[in-house]
Structure formats: structure tokens, C-alpha cells
Amino acid sequence: MNQDVWADTQMPFEGDSPAVGPRSPLLNAKVMMVDDEPLMTDLVQALLEDEGYVNFVVCNDPREALALMQAEEPSVLLLDLMMPKVSGFDVLEAVRGNRLTRYTPVIVLTAASGAEAKLRALRLGATDFLSKPVDGSELVLRVRNALAFSHYNNRLRHFDTVTGLPNPILFDRGVDEVLRNRDLVGGLVALMSLHVPDCQALRESLGQAPADEFVKILSRRLYRLTHADDLMPTFATGVDRAPRLARLGPDKFGLLFEGVADVEAVESLAKLLLEVVAEPVNLGGHEVAAHAWVGIALAPADGHTAAVLRKSADLAVTHARQRESIRCLFSSPELNARSLQRLRLGAELRGAAERGELRVHYQPKICIESGRMVGVEALARWQHPEFGLMAPARFISLAEELGLINVVGEWVMAQACRDAAHWATAGLGALTVSVNISKVQLLAGDLPAVVSRIMASSGLPPHQLELELTESLLMDDVDVSRRLMAEIKALGVSLSIDDFGTGYSSLAYLKSFPLDELKVDKSFVDDLPGSASDVALVHTIIDLGHRLGMTVIAEGVETAGQLACLKQLGCDSYQGFLYSKAVPAPDFMALLSEENARFGGANEGLRRATSA
Ligand code: C2E
Ligand code: CA
Ligand code: CA
């Protein structure tokens, strides 16, 4: 397809680029010359090059003219009429009879001053004349005018006149091209059909001009969104061009996203579209907030061509509109089931804390040397009325996405602190309780304030609380992390680095963080003691932790063999199914009192005692 045409897509109505003038985009147009005299084509090319044109196709054998034209799709043809073997008239006739070349402007070069040749050329569809010998300034003007005309013609054929966006013809061509080259990019290709029925409604109530204004505003917003520098890097990989945006109908836009990472990213993109469209528009004093729907079709699952994908996406919109509350739908039923369930879960999660459906389960941390509990990790659960007890994998990332993680995380921390304080007053000992902190919680910035508030309300001494921060979280924004960590440490709360070994820590940074505990990730523990390389790795990590003054704990310990190996490598403590899985608070209290009986006294949080 003609790349120049897509390149023409511009910010809708933020000033058209000039059709003529210095360094006009037309100077990049492809100029083709057909003349049996190489001297003549050289001369014409030199004259046009002086003017700034850079793209030429030269044909000195008129018999090849048509084939070359079909292959090269020039924007203008300069055709000599007087040639031996095949005359310019024959070429002109062939060009006008061909579907691909029918509308290309043709300037004929003729020495004949006779009116007859000119009339004949006109009858055959010539666009303009140029007399031989060629006058430089006349040549330049005629070529410029012919190109301006074909540019305008192209715009009419390929672009929507209200918004300046590509129309369905151009959109489909672009989509088909992307689909042909799909393998080059990887990731998902998603075609979205965005329907805004209010456009039609406004036309009926306020008239054509305000309705057009409304459509223009929406198209500008969509253009800005799709051309923002950070949009695609967030959702896709290996894509360096903006998504394709087009106007597909009076109240319909089309978008094509390439290389999108996964279905969740596709959904997020659709939601962004809905957000920018939903923002109120001021139309002559009236605030108008549009309702929109997005239908999504994925290639190749939902189709291999633009036409089929568009139909699928439109069908999805029809289905979405039948259910008022659903704004975005995939055309494939399985994806919808997944996305609807997530939507539903998200809505339910909002009220879960208030309805008392959240739980904290506790998993003991054991000192390897003494075999005694040194602490306990608090792990969130959701007691869902229908799905039963749900693991955090099913709702923590959802909570993060929906901005609910602060509520959930705070609730877990408060509950864990209350429980730990209760164990102490019940005479079971002063255990340290560890709470997991998500990236969003840390970056919210008010974590130190949240922690001190919870310390005060629960009555738990700060040294009995530890926060587990994952390695990748800390490395994401080192300066912010360090500052917040220092503030939290100043409260007397300890810090642990979780999932260690999976986040590419820089040792220099690690050294500068005020950490008390390093937790070796389960993935390194899994193959102990069988894998020599993992044994070596874990050995190194333990050594590193100790050198930096941290207590080292291993997670996910399931077998006696793993434990023996860790003991030999000098690991301080462990947690895992071998000792106990995470259990509800009452079960944990039973576990603790049984252990106290076995050891003959309340647990004093040994780790703190020995390492302080
Ligand atoms: P994590 O912090 O790495 O927690 C360890 C996970 O491994 C827990 O899964 C635990 O139940 C499980 N586990 C413990 N021992 C073993 C074992 O021997 N074998 C196996 N196979 N697994 C074991 P869980 O409770 O499903 O939690 C998963 C993740 O969810 C946690 O990983 C943590 O990142 C996150 N999470 C849990 N609670 C919270 C919370 O309150 N806030 C935040 N932000 N994240 C949480
Ligand atoms: Ca953890
Ligand atoms: Ca972990």
C-alpha cells in the first residue's frame, strides 16, 4: 500500500501542513518520467532536484512504462508524447485504463504546437501540458500543481473531512498491512471499534455544526492519547509507531494496536479510550458527557482481515450496549468471561473489607539452630461468599489495578498488629509479625504515617512489626525507597527484602538500604540440595546477607533435605510447609502455645534477642 498516505495522518485540525511552499511534504512525492531520450529525463530530473524533489523513477523504454508505474505507484507521471515504437498516446491510454493508475496525474511533454495532438491527449485523460524544449520554471510549476491536486484528491479519497482522520478505506488498508506483517512484531494485534452514539443524538438535537465540533474534540483527544510517547511502551513491546486511529462512521472510531503484551493490557487500553471520551465537553455553554462503548477483536483469533475484525468488534459493541453497565467487550466469549469475572471481582473487592470478608493467615518463621519460632508472616486471604477462601494471587494485583491496595494493605497490617498484640497479652510471647507491602503502597508516600497510626491504635511495640518489601519494588525507584525506608526505620519498625534473587539488585544500592532481613526466594530453595549450582547460589546469597549485617531466611522450605542443606550453608531461619503452612489466627495461637509448652516458656522473639 502507499505508505505516503498513512504518513499523511496528522493531528486532526491542528493546522494542515501546507500543500505547497518551501520544504513542502510534496517534495517527497515520487515523480516518474517516461521518455526514450535519456538526456531528456536527466535534464528534467536535474531541474526538479534543484527545486528539492528527491524521489524519481526513470523509464526510457515506453513498453515498460505501465508495469513500472503499477510497481512504483508514482504521484505524478511526466510523459513524452513523441516516442518511436510505442507512442505517448498508447501509454496514456493504458494508464487510464488501469485500476491502479487511473487517477495518477499525467503531464504530457510535446514539441508539437498543433492543437490536434493536445486535444487528443486531453481526450485520453492528460492532466496538463508542458512544451518542449522544457522551461525550468514552467516545469516546476506544472509539477507542483499536479501534485497538489493529487494530494487533495488523495485526502478526499482517504481521509474524513470533518476530523482529518483516515477513513474506513485507508484504515482497512493499514490494518490488512499490519496483519500481513504480524509475525514481525509479536504480541497481540487488537482492533477496537469505539462507538459514541451521542454524536448522532447531538446532530439531531443541536444540529450539524455543534455535532461536528463534538466529533472533532473527541478525535483530538483520541489522537493525543494514541500519540503520547509513553502509551505504547507501557502496554506493548517492540512497537515504535503510534496505534492507527480512524473515523469509521458518523459516531464511530477505529483503532488498531500492535504488539500488545497481553489481554489485560488490551483491556487497559480500551479503558483509557473510554476515559478520554467520557470527559465532559463544553459545547456552547452546554456540558456534554459522552457515553461510549468499545468492542475488541483480536487477530488472528477473531479474524485474518480488516473487514472480518471490524465486523467482530462491532458485534461486540452491540452485545455490550444490550447491557447498560458494560462499556467494553471482547468479541471472543472466553475472553469476555474472564474480563467480566475480573470486573465483577473488582466491584466486590471494593466492599470486602467493610463486609468483613478479608482474613489474615499466619505462617511461622523458624530459627534453624534452635527450631523455635522467631516470627510470623501475615498473608492476606479473601473469604469470598461464592468462591470460598481466595489466595492473594487472585486479588492483590486486581486491588493494585483498581487503587484498592492501600485499603486492603492497611487492613491487613492493622489486623496483624492487633493479633500480635493480643498474643502478647494472652501470655504467648512477643513475636515479630511481618506484613507484605505492595509497590503501590510504598509509592503512595504516606506509609510511614500509616504505620505509626496503626502502631498507636493496636498498641503493638514497633520492634514487633516488620515490613516485607520485594526486591523489584526497592530497585524501581531507589531514592524514594531509601527515603521511605529510613522514615519507617526511624519508627523502630524492621525491614525485610522479600523474593531476594529475582529482582537484579545492584549490590551498591543493597548496601545502602537499612534492611534487617534478607529472604531467599523460594525458586532457589526448590532444587536444594540436588542442584549444585543452586547450592552455590544460596551459599553466596547467605554470605552476602550476613556480610551486610542481615538475618537470612529461606522461604518455601518443604523437605527435611532442603532444611539440612540450608543449615549447612549457615542460613538463620526458614519458613515453609515443612513446619506449617499459613493458618488462621486461632490455629496459629494453638501452634504457638503448644510450642511454648514444648520449650517451657513464652516465646521472646529470639531473632531480635540474638541479632540486636
Ligand atoms: P510471598 O510474600 O513471597 O509469600 C510467600 C508465599 O508462599 C505465600 O503464598 C505462602 O503461603 C507460600 N508458601 C509458604 N511456604 C510455602 C511452601 O513451603 N511451599 C509453597 N509452595 N508455598 C509456600 P500466598 O499466601 O498465596 O501469598 C502469595 C503472595 O501474595 C505473597 O508472596 C505476597 O507477595 C502476596 N501477598 C500476600 N498477602 C499480602 C498482603 O497483605 N499485601 C500484599 N501487598 N501482598 C500480599
Ligand atoms: Ca512475603
Ligand atoms: Ca517471597
Side-chain angles (χ1 to χ4, degrees):
M1 85 153 259
N2 191 342
Q3 286 290 344
D4 296 342
V5 180
W6 256 108
D8 225 17
T9 313
Q10 46 195 290
M11 177 70 180
F13 284 81
E14 297 245 310
D16 262 339
S17 51
V20 292
R23 206 58 238 174
S24 134
L26 295 185
L27 292 175
N28 298 322
K30 204 181 263 181
V31 179
M32 180 163 157
M33 297 165 287
V34 180
D35 199 312
D36 58 312
E37 281 291 340
L39 241 144
M40 195 61 206
T41 47
D42 283 355
L43 171 71
V44 170
Q45 179 166 339
L47 288 168
L48 290 174
E49 273 172 350
D50 276 352
E51 191 62 19
Y53 289 90
V54 287
N55 233 331
F56 299 95
V57 179
V58 177
C59 173
N60 294 123
D61 183 348
R63 287 169 301 186
E64 289 164 5
L66 185 67
L68 200 57
M69 231 182 134
Q70 285 174 283
E72 296 279 349
E73 296 192 46
S75 301
V76 64
L77 177 69
L78 294 169
L79 175 65
D80 187 26
L81 279 183
M82 295 308 155
M83 296 179 290
K85 293 182 206 148
V86 182
S87 83
F89 295 110
D90 300 330
V91 174
L92 187 55
E93 198 168 359
V95 164
R96 288 296 176 245
N98 184 282
R99 194 180 51 85
L100 252 184
T101 59
R102 181 175 302 157
Y103 300 108
T104 312
V106 179
I107 301 173
V108 293
L109 279 72
T110 166
S113 50
E116 189 157 337
K118 286 185 179 169
L119 268 182
R120 186 170 165 210
L122 268 184
R123 240 182 276 122
L124 289 174
T127 316
D128 203 356
F129 299 98
L130 189 61
S131 327
K132 272 180 162 180
V134 172
D135 169 74
S137 34
E138 190 185 346
L139 167 76
V140 164
L141 286 177
R142 295 208 190 267
V143 166
R144 188 199 71 180
N145 289 350
L147 282 175
F149 172 75
S150 87
H151 178 81
Y152 177 68
N153 217 4
N154 245 338
R155 283 203 73 83
L156 282 187
R157 271 190 295 138
H158 295 298
F159 293 88
D160 173 56
T161 47
V162 174
T163 61
L165 291 176
N167 67 11
I169 298 172
L170 186 55
F171 183 66
D172 283 1
R173 275 217 233 166
V175 171
D176 283 331
E177 189 202 7
V178 167
L179 294 176
R180 275 194 300 277
N181 299 326
R182 223 178 69 74
D183 299 341
L184 300 179
V185 181
L188 298 172
V189 174
L191 185 149
M192 299 191 194
S193 185
L194 172 71
H195 290 229
V196 193
D198 295 310
C199 300
Q200 187 71 26
L202 279 174
R203 198 167 299 119
E204 283 157 16
S205 58
L206 300 179
Q208 188 69 41
D212 282 351
E213 183 55 31
F214 180 68
V215 171
K216 273 191 231 176
I217 291 171
L218 296 189
S219 65
R220 264 197 297 257
R221 286 183 189 169
L222 291 170
Y223 185 93
R224 282 206 195 94
L225 172 73
T226 51
H227 287 69
D229 287 342
D230 55 349
L231 182 79
M232 291 324 278
T234 311
F235 298 101
T237 43
V239 184
D240 53 7
R241 60 180 164 193
R244 304 200 154 182
L245 168 66
R247 188 174 185 208
L248 298 182
D251 47 12
K252 192 159 90 177
F253 295 92
L255 295 107
L256 187 81
F257 297 93
E258 303 167 63
V260 186
D262 50 30
V263 173
E264 276 74 30
V266 173
E267 254 190 303
S268 308
L269 283 165
K271 284 189 189 132
L272 284 178
L273 298 182
L274 289 170
E275 272 169 29
V276 299
V277 171
E279 243 170 70
V281 171
N282 192 310
L283 275 187
H286 300 278
E287 282 267 295
V288 181
H291 298 83
W293 283 265
V294 178
I296 309 168
L298 297 180
D302 298 322
H304 294 271
T305 64
V308 175
L309 288 176
R310 273 219 272 144
K311 208 174 276 165
S312 311
D314 283 341
L315 199 66
V317 171
T318 311
H319 287 150
R321 289 190 64 179
Q322 285 160 359
R323 308 149 132 132
E324 261 300 304
S325 62
I326 294 170
R327 294 279 166 202
C328 142
L329 218 52
F330 286 93
S331 77
S332 109
E334 311 93 81
L335 289 183
N336 277 329
R338 219 167 103 185
S339 108
L340 286 179
Q341 202 195 42
R342 253 180 103 74
L343 267 176
R344 197 189 120 189
L345 268 188
E348 291 169 345
L349 185 56
R350 256 172 232 287
E354 279 167 25
R355 288 193 303 271
E357 292 168 6
L358 295 182
R359 303 275 184 276
V360 183
H361 281 193
Y362 295 97
Q363 182 177 46
K365 294 178 164 185
I366 315 299
C367 168
I368 293 182
E369 187 61 44
S370 66
R372 190 150 198 198
M373 247 187 249
V374 286
V376 59
E377 179 174 3
L379 293 155
R381 301 287 183 265
W382 179 9
Q383 185 66 51
H384 190 280
E386 188 183 326
F387 305 130
L389 193 68
M390 283 172 39
R394 284 186 70 187
F395 64 90
I396 291 288
S397 71
L398 188 64
E400 286 177 336
E401 211 175 282
L402 298 174
L404 297 171
I405 190 66
N406 289 327
V407 178
V408 173
E410 240 184 276
W411 184 88
V412 171
M413 192 188 295
Q415 184 62 42
C417 290
R418 275 197 302 271
D419 282 345
H422 172 65
W423 301 330
T425 47
L428 291 173
L431 277 184
T432 297
V433 64
S434 305
V435 175
N436 293 284
I437 300 296
S438 114
K439 177 177 170 166
V440 183
Q441 271 174 290
L442 184 70
L443 296 185
D446 63 345
L447 192 60
V450 169
V451 170
S452 58
R453 200 170 62 230
I454 289 178
M455 297 284 66
S457 66
S458 66
L460 189 74
H463 72 266
Q464 271 182 262
L465 176 65
E466 179 172 67
L467 305 187
E468 294 193 3
L469 308 161
T470 61
E471 188 187 10
S472 54
L473 178 162
L474 293 180
M475 292 303 148
D476 224 40
D477 191 334
V478 170
D479 293 331
V480 172
S481 300
R482 203 181 359 236
R483 183 171 53 75
L484 290 168
M485 281 197 281
E487 282 179 45
I488 292 165
K489 281 291 290 183
L491 298 172
V493 171
S494 344
L495 296 172
S496 169
I497 184 163
D498 202 354
D499 302 342
F500 190 82
T502 59
Y504 309 102
S505 287
S506 144
L507 286 184
Y509 287 137
L510 196 60
K511 204 178 87 181
S512 73
F513 289 155
L515 293 160
D516 303 278
E517 182 189 79
L518 182 156
K519 194 182 272 194
V520 184
D521 190 66
K522 178 175 182 301
S523 58
F524 298 104
V525 174
D526 283 343
D527 294 333
L528 297 183
S531 155
S533 60
D534 280 0
V535 170
L537 253 171
V538 171
H539 196 182
T540 309
I541 295 175
I542 292 171
D543 193 45
L544 171 80
H546 284 160
R547 277 170 202 271
L548 294 177
M550 294 184 242
T551 305
V552 180
I553 184 168
E555 69 176 358
V557 177
E558 294 177 348
T559 69
Q562 289 169 339
L563 181 59
C565 177
L566 286 163
K567 182 173 185 173
Q568 211 178 14
L569 297 177
C571 193
D572 302 297
S573 38
Y574 77 99
Q575 61 185 114
F577 294 171
L578 178 65
Y579 189 91
S580 169
K581 61 182 180 104
V583 293
D587 300 11
F588 179 73
M589 281 178 82
L591 207 66
L592 188 55
S593 67
E594 180 207 309
E595 198 206 68
N596 284 342
R598 204 158 13 102
F599 281 88
N603 194 305
E604 292 310 328
L606 280 180
R607 179 161 68 89
R608 290 289 152 254
T610 52
S611 64

